[in-house]
Amino acid sequence: MLKVSHICKTFTGGIIRKTRVDAVKDVSFTISNGETFGIVGNSGCGKSTIANMLLSLIKPDSGTIEIDGTIQIIFQHPETSLDPAKKIGYSLEEPMIIHKMYDKAGRKKRVKELLDLVDLGEELLDRYPHQISGGEAQRIMIARALSLDPKILILDEPTSMLDVSVQAQVMTLLKELQEKLGLSYLFISHDLDVVRWFCDEIAVMEEGKFVETGRTEDVIGHPKAEFTKKLVESFILE
Ligand SMILES: Nc1ncnc2c1ncn2[C@@H]1O[C@H](COP(=O)(O)OP(=O)(O)OP(=O)(O)O)[C@@H](O)[C@H]1O
Ligand SMILES: [Mg+2]
């Protein structure tokens, strides 16, 4: 379970001309075990700032975050998340080495289980990141995140850099993994079609605020906020 209550984050900067961005304004939501919560909104509205606060990469100015279990993230760019100088096998093992999990034989066994979970073969282990496809790289990143037995995964536009056909495969894999492992997801996306299929609940975000939250079908089917209406309309017209 994840519970976020009234978190706020303002970025300030500039020496001569002071700048101030209210990136996240009084955001609250909960994600129950095994559920998927989506955040939809335009570029710059504050989605990744929320993700960074959940991961403790930045500290909220106010508000509280309660997380039950480990949380991990899958980023948009799998190719930049993998170390180009390290073989895939090492990248999969590395989180377990850092967290001192298992002995060497145990880690090798776990790597094989993880590959199996994401439907990849052992032949990838001896390759470097430039020797695998974008879809395979994203599966590797998912396997790597799963190595620490998380309860919650943040998916920050996880498939937007992939071909449409590969996107569908990765999204289907994520659904299967959720069922198998009982994971909760925080899914960040621009794509209302994917959100509709993937999320139990969504929040529509505009300039740092949640303007509308609810069951996905209700929000998309009967939008209340002006911003949501425009978003749904523009999506139908596309
Ligand atoms: N470290 C930072 N310092 C200053 N401003 C920041 C910082 N991180 C984010 N911002 C600003 O906060 C706002 C929200 O950024 P954020 O990355 O959360 O947007 P986003 O919704 O994830 O956008 P995108 O869809 O493009 O990924 C933006 O105006 C951004 O410029
Ligand atoms: Mg972002």
Side-chain angles (χ1 to χ4, degrees):
M1 212 259 314
L2 176 138
K3 187 169 196 277
V4 171
S5 308
H6 305 288
I7 52 169
C8 297
K9 181 70 200 177
T10 299
F11 293 109
T12 50
I15 293 166
I16 298 164
R17 206 167 285 172
K18 294 272 181 222
T19 55
R20 183 190 158 91
V21 181
D22 295 318
V24 175
K25 302 179 210 164
D26 194 21
V27 160
S28 301
F29 61 97
T30 56
I31 310 179
S32 313
N33 291 339
E35 294 260 300
T36 302
F37 185 85
I39 303 180
V40 217
N42 291 337
S43 182
C45 73
K47 305 181 293 295
S48 296
T49 304
I50 294 178
N52 288 334
M53 289 192 277
L54 296 181
L55 293 164
S56 305
L57 295 175
I58 55 178
K59 202 176 169 314
D61 298 327
S62 56
T64 57
I65 296 169
E66 292 165 61
I67 297 175
D68 180 16
T70 305
I71 187 166
Q72 288 286 309
I73 186 164
I74 310 290
F75 291 109
Q76 188 171 13
H77 297 279
E79 63 283 3
T80 56
S81 311
L82 283 166
D83 185 339
K86 298 271 160 54
K87 286 182 180 170
I88 300 300
Y90 180 79
S91 287
L92 279 176
E93 211 181 320
E94 188 183 52
M96 295 184 274
I97 296 173
I98 293 170
H99 286 84
K100 302 193 165 58
M101 290 162 85
Y102 315 103
D103 58 6
K104 197 166 173 65
R107 286 197 300 271
K108 299 279 183 220
K109 181 163 165 270
R110 182 77 179 126
V111 163
K112 283 179 189 158
E113 286 169 8
L114 291 167
L115 276 180
D116 211 38
L117 270 178
V118 298
D119 286 332
L120 290 176
E122 285 175 38
E123 70 278 4
L124 261 62
L125 293 178
D126 280 327
R127 295 202 207 151
Y128 289 94
H130 73 274
Q131 296 169 322
I132 64 175
S133 74
E136 286 166 345
Q138 198 55 300
R139 282 168 193 263
I140 292 293
M141 291 316 296
I142 294 167
R144 194 178 135 101
L146 293 177
S147 68
L148 299 176
D149 294 319
K151 286 269 189 303
I152 306 166
L153 278 190
I154 301 175
L155 310 165
D156 194 348
E157 301 263 7
T159 61
S160 57
M161 302 306 288
L162 303 174
D163 285 353
V164 177
S165 63
V166 183
Q167 272 182 22
Q169 287 169 14
V170 172
M171 293 310 296
T172 304
L173 170 70
L174 286 166
K175 266 240 163 154
E176 288 168 8
L177 288 172
Q178 180 169 45
E179 297 234 320
K180 219 180 270 182
L181 306 172
L183 297 165
S184 303
Y185 289 150
L186 175 66
F187 182 63
I188 296 174
S189 179
H190 287 99
D191 190 335
L192 277 189
D193 264 343
V194 176
V195 161
R196 179 172 233 164
W197 170 73
F198 198 68
C199 299
D200 302 300
E201 285 187 36
I202 57 168
V204 179
M205 193 170 182
E206 183 187 21
E207 293 178 9
K209 272 202 198 113
F210 279 5
V211 292
E212 193 159 354
T213 321
R215 304 300 296 176
T216 310
E217 278 309 313
D218 296 339
V219 172
I220 294 179
H222 310 279
K224 291 190 186 73
E226 259 332 289
F227 182 76
T228 317
K229 285 181 191 165
K230 282 199 195 114
L231 197 74
V232 172
E233 239 167 63
S234 66
F235 214 78
I236 293 165
L237 292 176
E238 253 173 27

